[in-house]
Amino acid sequence: HTQWLTSLLTFSRQCAQLNHLSTSNSSSIAFFHRKRRNKDILAHIENRERHIDLPTPNTTMTPKPNMMMMLIPSSKSFTEEDVVEDTSPFTAEISKRSISSNALSSMLAARENLNVVEVTQTNALRKLDCAAQQYAWGRIGSNSSVARMKAANSTNFIIEEDSPYAELWVGTHPNGMSQVIDCDTGESCSLKEYVQSDPLLHLGNSKATDLTFLFKVLSINKVLSIQAHPDKELAERLHAEQPKIYKDANHKPEMAVALTDDFEAMCGFRPIAAISANLRKYPEFRTLIGEEIAASLCRLENSEATREVLSDMFYSFNMASKELVDSQLESLMKCLHAKKTEDLSRDDKLMLKLAGQFPGDSGIMAPLMLNHVMLTKGQSFYIGANEPHAYISGEILECMACSDNVVRAGLTPKLKDVDTLVSMLTYKTVIPNITSGKKMDECTTLYAPPVADFAIEVIEVEPYSEYTLKDVKSPSVLLTLSGSGKLVQGNVQSLPAAYGSAAFASANTRTKVVSGPEGIRIVRALSNVHFF
């Protein structure tokens, strides 16, 4: 065992002799990449000695990832000419077992493929300062969780009690970039700049350039626009043609997890039979889309050939003249207001609510053709690319592919791109699948969509307890939803965790959650490594 450790130290000293080790990082992130000395290597070896597996006969020896992280400095590239000849038992063992004629290349390859790496000052947890977006539909002042979370962790942020706070962004999108904060110096750099300083170390892939996901908290006071997000192919085309409107070339599937019991949304087209029933029940809706299209829809109640007719319906609905919309909405509102409260259907109540927020907008009748879903705390649903939807109220966790592309058609004062929206939709007529996640163990509930870009884990730890987050091949962000405690990585890092605090965890690193007297509830967003 001692011989094995001695050999590792020998190899580390040789790495330290490489000519390019004097190359410095850019000034904006240099304070995050302190040089590691031989005494640091010794300390880490002593701390992790019990985790080293001794080579056994007739087995292939693979360098342990924690050793690998100590021996190979980040942000450096090596060539065969850089390797110093070594005749130590470590090199002999590698040669004997035919891993490679170049021991350093073998260790570099192992570093990319193995899961757990040693946590050092270079890849330890980092505190994040996150962006708060003040869109008009957000909850007002301290009623917004977004505002309270931001204020709890930013000394220079003051809540304006008459202003809306809609979204808290945790990620690398340029429209709301998170900042990495050095707790000792107070210096900062963008999260994107930080992960790009060593993609292999922080992202788990030397060819990666960014996080695959964007994580948000939403506080919804008024309905969002009727919208959809493009698939990858369409996003690339829209970005190329209209870069000022569609500012990135990525797709944007997304998933919502309710934080409150009052979350409501519209999502996807209702089954044809339900739409047909509403065409008969609400003559104003029938008039708005036209008799010919309405008749075609009613004939298709038991047919699968629905896409073309639904497309015609949605286009006619959104392109109706202002005069027609005004007259039909006036008629509809008279009918609804004439009903007794106990006689109002759920659709009736929602249309009255939308009319109060966006009077004169044809989107008021959207509930007659889109599914109306209501979620309680902990429930979730997934929205694929090219699916129409609109959040109505409540507070949610939201995770998506790293994009901000939105194509809108109604219930908004913003730009409407009806032609694009009508042409891009899938026109599937299914009720959204509402789930409560999958319980992974006593503390973690997983919400995993059918895409590789993102997933969410909600972790709840009882008071005065400890729980170790599973190491994953993906980078991740952590946000504390309630309670308090700390996030610990051995003797290297300990970050306080309280309401609204956020942190970034490099790929393949392990973190222990230590809860305080109230317990702690944390959400972790990451790439969907669970199924992809």
Side-chain angles (χ1 to χ4, degrees):
H1 202 163
T2 302
Q3 184 182 33
W4 170 249
L5 296 176
T6 302
S7 300
L8 286 174
L9 283 173
T10 300
F11 192 79
S12 71
R13 294 188 186 101
Q14 291 172 351
C15 289
Q17 295 170 5
L18 300 181
N19 292 332
H20 58 266
L21 287 182
S22 60
T23 303
S24 61
N25 292 323
S26 61
S27 58
S28 60
I29 57 174
F31 68 94
F32 289 117
H33 298 280
R34 303 183 179 98
K35 293 182 179 179
R36 284 158 290 177
R37 304 181 187 278
N38 283 344
K39 64 179 182 180
D40 298 319
I41 297 172
L42 276 168
H44 284 299
I45 290 177
E46 291 171 358
N47 289 337
R48 300 287 292 178
E49 181 179 351
R50 65 183 181 277
H51 295 293
I52 299 175
D53 296 325
L54 295 178
T56 56
N58 302 318
T59 60
T60 301
M61 189 190 73
T62 303
K64 293 296 290 184
N66 56 316
M67 295 297 101
M68 173 182 60
M69 284 309 307
M70 290 185 289
L71 299 178
I72 301 178
S74 63
S75 305
K76 308 298 179 185
S77 58
F78 292 82
T79 64
E80 291 186 7
E81 288 75 13
D82 292 319
V83 180
V84 181
E85 182 179 0
D86 183 21
T87 58
S88 69
F90 177 66
T91 305
E93 183 68 26
I94 291 178
S95 177
K96 181 176 69 175
R97 300 190 184 279
S98 302
I99 291 181
S100 173
S101 60
N102 186 335
L104 184 56
S105 296
S106 298
M107 295 189 73
L108 286 168
R111 175 186 169 190
E112 183 135 13
N113 293 328
L114 293 177
N115 289 354
V116 189
V117 298
E118 177 73 6
V119 176
T120 69
Q121 288 297 328
T122 309
N123 66 340
L125 282 168
R126 300 298 178 197
K127 179 181 178 181
L128 295 179
D129 184 22
C130 305
Q133 310 285 16
Q134 292 186 267
Y135 306 139
W137 50 262
R139 291 191 172 183
I140 307 301
S142 297
N143 289 323
S144 168
S145 289
V146 169
R148 296 196 305 273
M149 284 183 171
K150 178 67 175 177
N153 292 278
S154 299
T155 55
N156 59 349
F157 179 84
I158 299 175
I159 299 175
E160 298 175 1
E161 292 299 342
D162 58 349
S163 297
Y165 295 91
E167 297 185 352
L168 185 74
W169 288 27
V170 190
T172 56
H173 198 282
N175 289 353
M177 181 73 67
S178 295
Q179 298 295 312
V180 178
I181 307 298
D182 186 292
C183 296
D184 297 326
T185 66
E187 297 180 80
S188 67
C189 72
S190 74
L191 179 55
K192 189 165 187 177
E193 186 179 18
Y194 177 71
V195 299
Q196 288 182 345
S197 67
D198 190 337
L200 178 54
L201 186 67
H202 299 309
L203 301 176
N205 186 337
S206 59
K207 297 180 180 179
T209 59
D210 203 353
L211 303 183
T212 63
F213 59 89
L214 174 61
F215 177 66
K216 300 179 182 180
V217 176
L218 273 63
S219 293
I220 306 160
N221 184 49
K222 297 195 301 183
V223 64
L224 281 68
S225 60
I226 298 172
Q227 59 186 257
H229 308 298
D231 59 28
K232 183 68 174 174
E233 182 179 356
L234 178 59
E236 291 173 349
R237 179 168 64 81
L238 292 175
H239 178 62
E241 295 174 353
Q242 304 178 75
K244 292 184 178 180
I245 299 174
Y246 303 105
K247 298 183 179 181
D248 61 72
N250 201 15
H251 67 164
K252 193 186 174 186
E254 58 191 21
M255 179 173 59
V257 179
L259 284 174
T260 56
D261 290 330
D262 61 346
F263 176 70
E264 295 183 56
M266 291 182 285
C267 181
F269 287 97
R270 301 175 76 158
I272 289 293
I275 298 176
S276 297
N278 284 332
L279 287 170
R280 289 187 284 267
K281 183 177 180 181
Y282 299 92
E284 298 85 0
F285 179 39
R286 192 180 188 100
T287 301
L288 198 63
I289 68 169
E291 182 59 38
E292 183 178 349
I293 296 173
S296 297
L297 272 167
C298 291
R299 287 195 298 269
L300 287 175
E301 282 191 49
N302 298 312
S303 170
E304 295 182 0
T306 60
R307 191 185 192 284
E308 183 177 352
V309 177
L310 282 174
S311 176
D312 290 343
M313 177 199 71
F314 197 60
Y315 181 81
S316 180
F317 176 83
N318 283 287
M319 296 303 291
S321 68
K322 186 178 185 305
E323 293 75 18
L324 181 60
V325 171
D326 287 345
S327 65
Q328 298 309 305
L329 284 177
E330 182 180 1
S331 174
L332 177 63
M333 289 301 107
K334 284 182 180 178
C335 291
L336 295 181
H337 286 298
K339 290 184 178 183
K340 295 179 180 180
T341 302
E342 59 268 24
D343 294 334
L344 290 172
S345 68
R346 198 170 78 167
D347 290 339
D348 292 340
K349 292 176 183 177
L350 180 53
M351 287 190 288
L352 286 170
K353 181 177 183 176
L354 299 181
Q357 296 178 2
F358 286 92
D361 195 302
S362 64
I364 292 168
M365 295 191 198
L368 302 180
M369 58 182 171
L370 300 180
N371 294 296
H372 179 200
V373 298
M374 304 177 74
L375 273 61
T376 57
K377 183 178 178 180
Q379 290 187 319
S380 169
F381 74 105
Y382 168 76
I383 305 169
N386 303 327
E387 296 294 347
H389 61 280
Y391 296 154
I392 299 168
S393 64
E395 294 191 306
I396 59 171
L397 305 173
E398 187 183 41
C399 204
M400 63 203 68
C402 189
S403 172
D404 196 30
N405 285 324
V406 182
V407 185
R408 301 179 180 89
L411 299 175
T412 180
K414 296 182 180 180
L415 174 70
K416 300 178 182 180
D417 191 349
V418 174
D419 288 337
T420 298
L421 188 64
V422 169
S423 66
M424 69 187 277
L425 298 180
T426 66
Y427 296 99
K428 295 176 182 176
T429 55
V430 294
I431 298 173
N433 181 32
I434 297 174
T435 74
S436 296
K438 179 182 180 181
K439 195 73 174 176
M440 303 299 287
D441 55 35
E442 71 280 5
C443 294
T444 299
T445 301
L446 170 67
Y447 299 87
V451 293
D453 304 76
F454 60 90
I456 291 176
E457 297 172 349
V458 176
I459 300 101
E460 298 188 58
V461 183
E462 295 294 324
Y464 297 114
S465 301
E466 295 183 354
Y467 176 76
T468 300
L469 298 176
K470 305 299 185 294
D471 52 276
V472 289
K473 297 180 181 179
S474 163
S476 59
V477 294
L478 302 166
L479 180 70
T480 302
L481 302 176
S482 62
S484 62
K486 56 185 178 179
L487 305 175
V488 180
Q489 292 180 321
N491 297 322
V492 179
Q493 184 64 287
S494 178
L495 288 181
Y499 179 72
S501 64
F504 172 79
S506 297
N508 304 313
T509 58
R510 186 168 291 173
T511 301
K512 181 185 292 183
V513 180
V514 181
S515 64
E518 302 173 357
I520 193 168
R521 186 166 180 250
I522 290 175
V523 58
R524 176 165 74 163
L526 64 163
S527 302
N528 192 3
V529 295
H530 293 278
F531 297 106
F532 291 88

